[in-house]
Each structure stands twice: as structure tokens, then as C-alpha cells.
Amino acid sequence: MIDSENRRRRRAVLALGAGGGALALLMGGAAALPTSAIEPLMDDLPALLVLLRFLSIMLACLTVTTAWYALRRERSDMAGLMLAGFTPVAGALFLLTLSPLGLLPWLPFSPHVDGFLRVTGRAAEVLTLLAVAARIGLPLSRRAALATGGLVLLSVVALSAALAHETQPEPALLLFTLGWLLFGLNAVAGVTHVWRYLRSHETRHRCFAAACIFAGLAEVALLSHAEGVVRLLAEVSRVFAFVMVYRGVFTASVAAPYARLEQSEATIQRQQEQLNTLFRNVPVGLAQLDRELRYRYVNPTLAHHLHAVPEQLTDTHWRAALPPQWQQPVGAHLHETLEGKRTEFEFEYGGEEGDPRHANAIMVPERADNGAIEGVLAIFTDQTERERARRQLAESVREVSELKAALDAHAIVAVTDANGVITRVNDKFCIISKYRRSELLGSTHRIINSGHHPASFFDNLWKTISSGMVWTGEICNRAKDGSLYWVYTTIVPFVGEEGIPVQYISIRADITERKRAEQEAQHMALYDALTGLPNRRLMGDRLRDAISASQRSGQHGALLLLDLDNFKQINDTLGHDQGDALLQQVGDRLLFSVRQADTVARMGGDEFVIVLSDLGKGVRESALGVEAVSEKIRTELAAPFQLDGLTVNVTGSLGAVLFRGQDEREDKLLKRADMALYRAKAQGRNRLSLFDPALEAAVLSQASMLQDLRQALPRGQLALHAQPIVDQTGRVRSQEMLLRWHHPSRGIVPPTQFIPLAEQHGLILDIGNWVLQQTCALLADWQCDPSRCRWTAAVNVSVRQLRDAGFVDSVRQALQETGAPAHRLRLELTESTLLTDVDETIAKMAELRAMGVHFALDDFGTGYSSLSYLRRLPLDELKIDRSFVADVTDDPNDGVIARTIISLANSLGLSAVAEGVETAEQFAFLKALGCDAFQGYYFGRPEPVLSAEATA
């Protein structure tokens, strides 16, 4: 709607400009016409000019008359300006028209008179329009305004008469300058009226702007001394200017007031209709009676009660329509009201079905303008429902009294005044609080305040009930003997007439046992049942709090994971009861080792968590703090534990990670601390390992390698390499099968990197079976080659493979499927296989030996080997570890060790094989000691199986 109005005003402004432009173009076109084209008009031009000027005079007079009329009705600054300004305009134009015709003997025509009257009239016109645009007030009555304009006109007449006899030449330059000055003022007035119109939407400003445009065009034509048709068009433009001035004055002074009057009448009519609608629909009966008590007006509500329509009741006497039961109470009060007294009363009557009805009546005297009573306004309201509600309320009060008795018998009740002072308590309140009634009355509830709740708790409570709302909640109170009890409380405010609570009633139920059960359940949910320490859930909350606190303070915190070393052995040897007792004592010592603000929690099993805070802002300072706490923990754990008369020593490994800020997540911190703990155990246990990014990178790298390793066998990335083993003459007698991983991006991955990973995650079983299959297939191929048919093939077997229940069957299946000779297959074991389950290992070796498979003990001398086990094991070879061969020619000790191993092998009837032989000197030295076979770079590097065969 607003955009549409703005567009309409802009179109109006554009139309004014277009009209003025069109008239200007018309004048320009007329000036360009040849003389012969306009010569027929030249004879009638003077008469037309005079006619147009008379038309302008008439329009100026109409403007003055309209302003005079407007000032008669009300004071108007614009009308005063137009009356005072256009009176001299009309007079000057009149003199300017009659003087050239010789109709004014006292004012003969002269150039001086013509120029003076033209400039004077134009100035009055321009200044008046400019004053209206600037809203300059002229607070004059219409006579004063007319007198002002008349005085100006008389001055103009007098000056014109004086100039009529002037003999000096006409001041053309002065008149020209004044003309352009007036043109400029006229332009200012026009622009101002356009601006006013765009802001106020008043039609008069649009008219005055158009008048300025037309007047400006006429002024330009006259200043350019136009003649002929252009002069005629200039006068036409001036007539249009006066038309627009008159229209603007008429619109503002006559049309607008009449429009406002019509609008006011429409508003009054609409309000009257609204009032009638209200009377017709108001849910009370209304009646207006005159002094004779005849109905002047009855609304539909009352007429419906009287079983009539409003028109039937008009001019009838009040008794003729009212039911008999109404007449006695209503009649008495009607006469009182006619005496000037306002009355209000209630009465009862029977309904249509015989049911009792109740009504309220208000009688108000209606007075005329002179104060005389001219009638009565009667208002009837049906009070049946209210009376029924009142009686129901009385019944409710009785029921409340009974409920109160029942409430006192089963609930804890107290009543206080608006200030919280106790005014009444029942017996149950005295019993649970252990206070006498005399001690409670006159006191506030502070007497039983336990201090459990903060002040804000009671501030919110009072804010709720003092606003008139019911408050419910759980409160912990303290009895006189100091014991605590919980009550579920409902506080109901009783609000007075001013809307402010005047007293409060508190109804309570004892929930002490329920709260105790809830607290026990919450403790069980958040604390470890064995040690009483926070469990994983509560530890997570404490850790999040510590992270938030470190963000605010800028100080580091730390998360430590503690795992007891070899705790399983204590459980297995002493029993789980003693293990639980140990965990309880460990928890106590951990609590003693940290500050009260720190957290010690049990994650489960023998794993504990310590959360430290406020360690310092620097990383080095915080790390030193973690080391100090860790050392204190290790010192506490180093003291012997007493378990049922037994002394037990326990150590613990710790992994720690520092944190600071909200960016750290609990799961990420736990993961990092677990990485550090894993490294601490790998480094020998009973130590602290502090997480660093390199550790995480190593773990992630290992995880990535594990993921790739799972796909290495299916994708054909594993390959066998063979390294020759020679006898004392240097002739190849065997090949050791070595596994290599050809990774597409990592290159060739050595077995030292991926074999331990495969063993740790169970992949070694599938990989080992594949190696056995490939090796046996190779042995079968060698049987067809006379140069290799006597070779044996050695395969390394891991502890995980040997312990697998299906290992023997896997070897048997590989030999059967490939047709390889079993006596050409040699399985190499390490000394670690002898540490556990030796009897089972010997049994499996014996079963394989029965098939013809041979065995070698690899890396001999680097582990723990029992001579009794060596005697029992079905071995064929002892392989001297390369660490003893590397310096065998330079280090006498290594030489002694090598000689001892060779002698031991000869004593046990075994062959001795030296690993890592890289020089001729080593080969000669070991051969001189009686070593049977040799392996190393001196004889050949590991090569892919096909290459090894080609170079054999």
C-alpha cells in the first residue's frame, strides 16, 4: 500500500514536469514558426491577450474570495497568506490590463508603469507561494489580512500613478535583473512545494508546484521579449498558473474541510453502529425508560428474557412486560431512581422449569443537559451461576475443613504469615523436627535450616511464592537433635485482595528413606564398589571439569593411567579375595599420594586413573610436576603390602599425558595415556612414560601397517627370499627361507618390522601356513634338479605357530599336498619357545620328527636355554647367533663363546651353524674351531627364490 502511494506521487510529479516541458516545447516551436504562418493571428492577438488577462484577474479574485471564506470558518495561516498576498496580485493585474486600454485616465500607460505593475504583481505572487512553501505563519484575521493586502495594493496604485509621469528612460536592466531574480525565487518555491508534496501527500503543494512551473515558463517568455504566438502562449501559461493556485487554495480551504467533515460523520456513524452492536450483544439486559416509566429502548438480551422482541416493548409501560415476580422489587427501586438515587439490588424468581433463578439489578438516573432527570437506565444481570458457585464454595469450604483434618493426620503442615513467621504447625511437624510447638510458633523456617541448600535456592523459592505461584520441591532440614531429614514440600500462597500473598501453607511428606536409597544408588552408579574410588563414569565428569578449569586458568593438567605389574600372578597364587584386598590398599595409597583437589579413580581390574590439575603454565614445569607425583606413587607402592599375614611387593607402570584447554577430548586423552602406559610396560615396567606426539605417530604408523598387513597376503605382496648355508668346503647344502613384504608405497618391509606385529595380532598363523606351503612346493621342485635335490630348506617357526593346536596338521598337510620330502624340511625355533609349555613343545616336535622333519635352534646363546631341555629336544642343529660371530676374530670373549657352543653341539651330537659370516677371516676362524656350516653375506645375500635358484 505504501509503495503504491509513493509510486502515485512520483507519477504526479513526473506529470507536472512533463506538462511544463510540453508547454515549453510548444513555446519554442511557436517562436520558430515563420511570420507568414502566424500572420492571420496577429490581428486578433491584442484582444486575446486582454481576454486571457481578464481570465487571470478572475482566477486571482476567486483565490482571494476562497481565502476569505476559509478564514471565516477558522484561522488558517495559508489562507491568511493567500488573502494578503493575492489581493495586490489581482489589483496589479487589473491595473496592468486596463491601463494600456486607456480606461484609467488617472493612470496613463507608460513603459515605467507597465514594468512596475508587472514586477510588483509577479513579486507578490512568487513571495506568497514561497511563504506558503516555507510555512511562514501569518496569524491574522480575515479583515486584517484583507486590509494588509489592500494597503499593499494602495501603495502599488500610488507608486504607479507617480511613475506615469516619469520622463526618464525605462530601466530595462533593472527590470531584467528583477525578472530573473523572481524566476529564481519561483523555482525555489516550486522545488519546495514538490518536496512538501512528497513528504505530506497534500494536494495543495502539488497544485502550487504546478503553478510555479507554469508561472516560470510565462516569466521566461516575457523576459525574452517574445511576441506573437509565444506571447499568447505565455499568457495561457499564466492562466494555468492561476488555475493551479486557485485549485490549491480551494482544495486546502474548502474541499479538505468538507472531506474531513464527511470522514467525521462516517466515524460517528460507525461508532454508533458499534455501540448498537455492543448493546445488542452484551450479556446483560439493558432498558431505557422515560419519566413515565415507558420503555424507550430494550436490548435483545432483556427482550429474550421477557419473551418479546425489542420493537414490541417500545413505548409500553414497564409493568406490562415484566414478570409478576419482578414487579415488586423492581417497582420500588424504579421510583427511588426517579428521585435521583442510584440503586443496586438482587432478587430471586422462578425459572420456566420451576428452578430458582437469581438476578442483579442496577438502576441509574439519566439526566438532561440541564441536570433534570429524564428517565432511568436499568441493567439486569443473571446471577444464577454466581449464586450456584457461592453455594458450591460453601460446600467446598466444608469439604476443605474435612480435608484439613485428614491432611493434619497424614502430612507435615505449617502455616506462615507473609513474612514467613510460623503461625501454625500440626503434630507431625513437631514430631519430625523434634521441636515443641511453642518453640516453632513465632519463629521462621530458619530454625530447621540444614545448610544443605545454597542461598540462591531459597531466593528462587521466595521469588516464586511471593508472586502468587505454587512452589514444589525437595528440601533437606535439620531436626533439633542435629539429624537431617528430607521432605517433599508444596508451598501454596494465599493471595489477598490486593493481589499480594498474605500467608503461606506448607504441606510436606517425609522422603528421608527414599533420598537415602537414591544417594546409595547414585554412589553405586558413580563409585567403585570395591575401593570406594570414583568409577569410570565419574572420572569422565571430573576429567571434563579439569579440562574446563585448565582452559579458564591457562594451567596444565595431567591424566595418568596406572597398571599394576604382574597382578594376575597375585590373583592366581593368592586368590581373588587377596587380590581385591590388594586393590583396596593400592587405592588408599594413591589417595595419600595426591592432593585433595586431584582425582583418583578405578577404571576396572588393576587399572587406576589419576587426574591432576594446576600443574603450571609451562610444559616443562608441568612435566616435572607429573614426574614428582609419579615418583611419590611409585615410592608408596614400593612399600610391602600385608595380605592375610603374607608380605607382597607390587610395582606399577604409569602412562601420563598433559592437557590444557577445551580442545582436548576425554577419549583422546585416555587413548594417549594408554599409549604411554604401553610404552612404560614395554620399557621394563615400574616406570613412568610421558606421552609425546612421536609416540602417537608411532602407534598410528603401526596401526596403518597392521591394516596393510591384513591385506598383504590376499594381494600377493609377500614373497620368499632364500639365503644359502654352506659346508666347510663352501658348497651350498641348504637354503633358509626368509619372508619379505613388497609394499606398494613402503617398498620392501623387513621382517623385523612386520613379523612381531603379525605375531601380536594373530596374523602369523595364516602367514606361517603360506610360507610352509611355498617352501614345501619349492622342495618338491628341487627333487627334479640333480644339483639341488640334496638341499634342505629351513623355515623359521614362531612361538604362536608352535602353540597352535593345528600346527602339526598344517605341516603334514603342506608336505602331503606338495609331495615334498619331509627329511629335507628343517624348522628353526628360537629359545623363547622353551620358556613355557616345554613338554607340549617337545611332544609336537617329536610328532613332526616322526614324519622326518628336522629341527634347528636359532639364535642360540642370546636367550635362556636349559641344558636339560636341550638334551630332551629332538634337535639337529645349533645356530650361533650373529652377535657372537661379528667380532669373533677380534674379541677373545666372542671366540671363547663360539668355541663353547661348537663344543656343546658336538657333545650333544648336533651340527653347529654360524650365522652372520661376512669375511674370509671369520670363515677361516670358525672352520678351524670345527664349525660344520656357515651362513652370511660372505656366501650370499638373501635373494628372491627364483634368483637364488638361478645363481646356485
Side-chain angles (χ1 to χ4, degrees):
M1 180 67 73
I2 295 176
D3 293 341
S4 177
E5 181 65 22
N6 289 334
R7 288 195 296 268
R8 188 183 65 80
R9 292 198 299 273
R10 294 191 185 99
R11 286 197 298 268
V13 173
L14 291 174
L16 291 176
L23 189 56
L25 289 175
L26 186 60
M27 289 181 180
L33 289 175
T35 305
S36 59
I38 60 174
E39 195 169 314
L41 296 175
M42 297 303 293
D43 296 336
D44 297 328
L45 185 60
L48 291 175
L49 292 176
V50 171
L51 179 61
L52 291 173
R53 284 192 177 179
F54 272 113
L55 186 57
S56 297
I57 294 170
M58 181 186 68
L59 291 170
C61 292
L62 284 174
T63 300
V64 172
T65 304
T66 303
W68 173 268
Y69 171 79
L71 285 173
R72 186 183 68 177
R73 291 186 297 104
E74 60 180 355
R75 181 68 59 85
S76 170
D77 293 343
M78 186 210 72
L81 281 172
M82 299 305 291
L83 180 58
F86 267 78
T87 298
V89 170
L93 190 58
F94 182 78
L95 295 176
L96 185 62
T97 303
L98 295 182
S99 178
L101 299 177
L103 298 178
L104 299 176
W106 49 272
L107 188 61
F109 176 76
S110 70
H112 291 84
V113 173
D114 183 71
F116 176 71
L117 290 176
R118 186 181 295 109
V119 170
T120 302
R122 185 69 182 122
E125 178 186 351
V126 171
L127 292 176
T128 300
L129 291 176
L130 185 61
V132 171
R135 294 185 177 177
I136 298 175
L138 190 63
L140 298 175
S141 65
R142 59 177 181 167
R143 290 186 176 84
L146 183 59
T148 302
L151 288 175
V152 174
L153 179 58
L154 288 175
S155 301
V156 170
V157 171
L159 290 173
S160 299
L163 291 173
H165 305 287
E166 180 64 44
T167 59
Q168 295 293 330
E170 181 184 11
L173 180 60
L174 177 61
L175 292 176
F176 182 79
T177 303
L178 290 175
W180 281 108
L181 176 62
L182 292 175
F183 175 80
L185 293 175
N186 180 79
V188 172
V191 172
T192 306
H193 279 296
V194 170
W195 179 74
R196 292 286 186 195
Y197 171 67
L198 293 176
R199 287 178 60 86
S200 65
H201 323 322
E202 295 183 20
T203 305
R204 59 171 179 166
H205 290 297
R206 184 179 63 187
C207 294
F208 292 153
C212 291
I213 293 174
F214 290 125
L217 291 173
E219 191 67 29
V220 170
L222 293 175
L223 289 172
S224 60
H225 302 290
E227 297 295 339
V229 176
V230 177
R231 178 66 177 274
L232 178 63
L233 291 176
E235 289 298 335
V236 171
S237 180
R238 183 173 295 280
V239 170
F240 284 159
F242 279 108
V243 169
M244 298 312 294
V245 169
Y246 169 68
R247 184 181 177 189
V249 174
F250 180 82
T251 299
S253 302
V254 179
Y258 275 108
R260 288 195 297 271
L261 179 60
E262 292 176 358
Q263 186 178 5
S264 299
E265 291 176 350
T267 301
I268 293 173
Q269 184 178 1
R270 186 170 60 255
Q271 291 176 347
Q272 183 66 38
E273 292 175 354
Q274 292 175 351
L275 184 61
N276 292 335
T277 301
L278 177 64
F279 284 163
R280 285 194 299 269
N281 295 283
V282 70
V284 297
L286 296 176
Q288 284 182 308
L289 300 93
D290 57 18
R291 284 198 60 81
E292 286 73 29
L293 298 180
R294 293 182 179 274
Y295 292 112
R296 292 189 300 176
Y297 172 79
V298 177
N299 75 336
T301 302
L302 181 57
H304 175 73
H305 278 286
L306 301 179
H307 305 289
V309 295
E311 292 77 10
Q312 292 176 343
L313 297 175
T314 304
D315 292 332
T316 61
H317 195 268
W318 71 275
R319 287 185 181 274
L322 286 184
Q325 295 176 337
W326 289 40
Q327 293 184 8
Q328 193 278 330
V330 172
H333 290 89
L334 277 175
H335 291 289
E336 290 183 15
T337 306
L338 285 176
E339 296 175 0
K341 181 180 178 182
R342 181 187 183 278
T343 60
E344 181 175 358
F345 59 96
E346 294 183 358
F347 60 95
E348 182 178 349
Y349 64 97
E352 295 180 357
E353 300 179 357
D355 56 316
R357 310 287 295 179
H358 299 268
N360 175 272
I362 300 175
M363 307 291 183
V364 180
E366 289 189 317
R367 300 180 183 272
D369 293 339
N370 58 5
I373 298 175
E374 61 179 13
V376 176
L377 173 65
I379 304 173
F380 297 94
T381 306
D382 188 2
Q383 298 290 313
T384 303
E385 293 300 325
R386 193 188 74 169
E387 181 63 20
R388 185 177 294 117
R390 186 189 66 78
R391 294 181 181 181
Q392 290 177 351
L393 178 61
E395 179 67 18
S396 299
V397 170
R398 184 184 64 79
E399 293 177 358
V400 166
S401 299
E402 295 175 354
L403 288 173
K404 175 179 173 297
L407 192 63
D408 284 339
H410 297 88
I412 304 165
V413 181
V415 180
T416 68
D417 61 15
N419 297 318
V421 177
I422 300 173
T423 59
R424 180 183 174 278
V425 294
N426 66 349
D427 293 338
K428 282 190 168 294
F429 193 107
C430 298
I431 293 171
I432 195 170
S433 68
K434 297 180 174 57
Y435 283 99
R436 295 190 303 272
R437 181 175 278 102
S438 59
E439 294 177 299
L440 295 170
L441 297 180
S443 302
T444 66
H445 280 80
R446 291 189 181 92
I447 193 173
I448 56 174
N449 191 337
S450 64
H452 177 81
H453 305 283
S456 59
F457 174 86
F458 294 103
D459 291 342
N460 292 331
L461 184 154
W462 273 103
K463 183 179 180 180
T464 301
I465 62 176
S466 61
S467 63
M469 294 187 293
V470 177
W471 183 91
T472 58
E474 299 176 351
I475 301 179
C476 179
N477 292 327
R478 186 181 301 277
K480 187 176 182 179
D481 61 0
S483 61
L484 298 178
Y485 63 94
W486 282 85
V487 288
Y488 183 82
T489 304
T490 300
I491 303 178
V492 182
F494 286 87
V495 181
E497 295 180 355
E498 298 180 356
I500 301 174
V502 295
Q503 67 176 4
Y504 305 98
I505 180 170
S506 301
I507 304 170
R508 300 176 174 89
D510 186 6
I511 59 170
T512 304
E513 292 302 321
R514 193 197 80 188
K515 292 297 290 186
R516 184 177 292 114
E518 288 178 355
Q519 290 171 356
E520 291 177 358
Q522 184 179 22
H523 188 274
M524 292 175 63
L526 298 178
Y527 290 87
D528 178 52
L530 177 63
T531 63
L533 297 174
N535 60 13
R536 187 185 189 99
R537 178 181 174 186
L538 182 56
M539 181 278 301
D541 295 339
R542 299 273 181 89
L543 180 56
R544 284 189 289 272
D545 293 341
I547 293 172
S548 299
S550 71
Q551 172 70 18
R552 293 190 299 269
S553 65
Q555 296 206 25
H556 283 88
L559 175 69
L560 286 77
L561 284 183
L562 169 69
D563 189 82
L564 298 181
D565 299 328
N566 301 317
F567 177 74
K568 184 176 182 300
Q569 296 180 4
I570 296 177
N571 263 343
D572 293 343
T573 56
L574 301 182
H576 288 279
D577 291 342
Q578 298 303 319
D580 291 345
L582 175 63
L583 292 175
Q584 292 173 339
Q585 294 185 38
V586 169
D588 294 338
R589 294 192 186 187
L590 291 177
L591 286 174
F592 178 76
S593 302
V594 299
R595 300 166 299 181
Q596 188 174 1
D598 299 327
T599 297
V600 177
R602 182 182 176 220
M603 292 286 284
D606 61 334
E607 192 172 49
F608 295 84
V609 177
I610 300 99
V611 180
L612 306 177
S613 58
D614 298 332
L615 294 174
K617 294 187 176 181
V619 175
R620 179 58 182 166
E621 175 187 0
S622 304
L624 291 175
V626 172
E627 292 175 359
V629 173
S630 173
E631 187 60 31
K632 187 174 181 180
I633 291 174
R634 291 176 60 246
T635 301
E636 288 293 327
L637 295 180
F641 290 86
Q642 299 298 323
L643 300 178
D644 197 18
L646 297 176
T647 300
V648 176
N649 293 310
V650 174
T651 60
S653 301
L654 295 107
V657 59
L658 296 174
F659 61 81
R660 181 174 66 178
Q662 290 283 13
D663 293 337
E664 303 289 357
R665 297 198 322 268
E666 308 94 80
D667 56 344
K668 190 173 183 180
L669 291 176
L670 284 168
K671 182 178 179 182
R672 290 177 173 177
D674 193 56
M675 292 179 189
L677 175 62
Y678 182 82
R679 183 170 64 179
K681 286 185 171 292
Q683 291 175 346
R685 306 176 185 267
N686 191 25
R687 66 188 65 238
L688 168 70
S689 176
L690 192 62
F691 174 83
D692 58 69
L695 175 60
E696 184 174 27
V699 172
L700 294 176
S701 176
Q702 187 180 46
S704 176
M705 180 176 289
L706 175 62
Q707 185 67 23
D708 292 345
L709 184 58
R710 294 182 187 278
Q711 304 298 323
L713 190 60
R715 293 175 179 175
Q717 296 174 358
L718 298 180
L720 286 179
H721 287 217
Q723 187 175 27
I725 301 174
V726 302
D727 58 15
Q728 291 185 346
T729 65
R731 186 177 61 184
V732 176
R733 76 173 200 178
S734 180
Q735 296 279 353
E736 181 176 1
M737 299 296 113
L738 302 173
L739 187 62
R740 296 294 184 266
W741 179 14
H742 295 268
H743 193 275
S745 60
R746 303 176 190 269
I748 298 179
V749 182
T752 55
Q753 292 186 13
F754 70 88
I755 291 298
L757 197 62
E759 290 181 345
Q760 181 179 357
H761 296 277
L763 302 178
I764 194 65
L765 297 179
D766 292 337
I767 295 175
N769 289 335
W770 180 84
V771 171
L772 277 173
Q773 287 283 346
Q774 297 297 314
T775 303
C776 290
L778 187 63
L779 278 173
D781 292 341
W782 288 351
Q783 300 311 303
C784 301
D785 186 349
S787 63
R788 294 191 292 271
C789 63
R790 295 182 179 275
W791 287 0
T792 60
V795 177
N796 290 286
V797 177
S798 70
V799 177
R800 187 74 175 267
Q801 286 179 276
L802 194 59
R803 290 180 182 174
D804 182 50
F807 176 68
V808 174
D809 293 335
S810 298
V811 176
R812 181 184 293 110
Q813 182 179 357
L815 292 171
Q816 291 175 351
E817 290 179 353
T818 59
H823 66 282
R824 297 295 180 186
L825 177 64
R826 186 173 68 252
L827 303 181
E828 295 189 358
L829 312 177
T830 60
E831 291 182 87
S832 59
T833 59
L834 307 178
L835 295 178
T836 57
D837 299 328
V838 177
D839 293 336
E840 182 181 354
T841 301
I842 294 173
K844 289 182 179 179
M845 293 176 66
E847 189 175 355
L848 290 171
R849 185 62 179 270
M851 298 180 196
V853 177
H854 293 272
F855 291 93
L857 188 60
D858 198 12
D859 300 332
F860 184 76
T862 58
Y864 170 79
S865 295
S866 170
L867 294 179
S868 63
Y869 287 156
L870 286 177
R871 183 175 54 81
R872 294 174 56 194
L873 290 173
L875 295 174
D876 298 284
E877 292 181 354
L878 288 182
K879 300 188 75 173
I880 305 171
D881 187 72
R882 66 180 62 250
S883 61
F884 303 124
V885 175
D887 297 322
V888 70
T889 58
D890 301 324
D891 188 341
N893 294 327
D894 286 348
V896 172
I897 293 173
R899 182 181 293 108
T900 302
I901 295 174
I902 293 172
S903 298
L904 176 63
N906 293 332
S907 300
L908 294 175
L910 305 177
S911 297
V913 181
E915 292 181 306
V917 178
E918 298 183 356
T919 65
E921 291 79 5
Q922 295 172 347
F923 176 51
F925 184 85
L926 292 169
K927 185 166 63 173
L929 294 178
C931 187
D932 300 299
F934 310 88
Q935 179 181 356
Y937 286 173
Y938 180 69
F939 308 103
R941 292 178 176 272
E943 297 289 345
V945 169
L946 294 178
S947 300
E949 294 177 2
T951 57

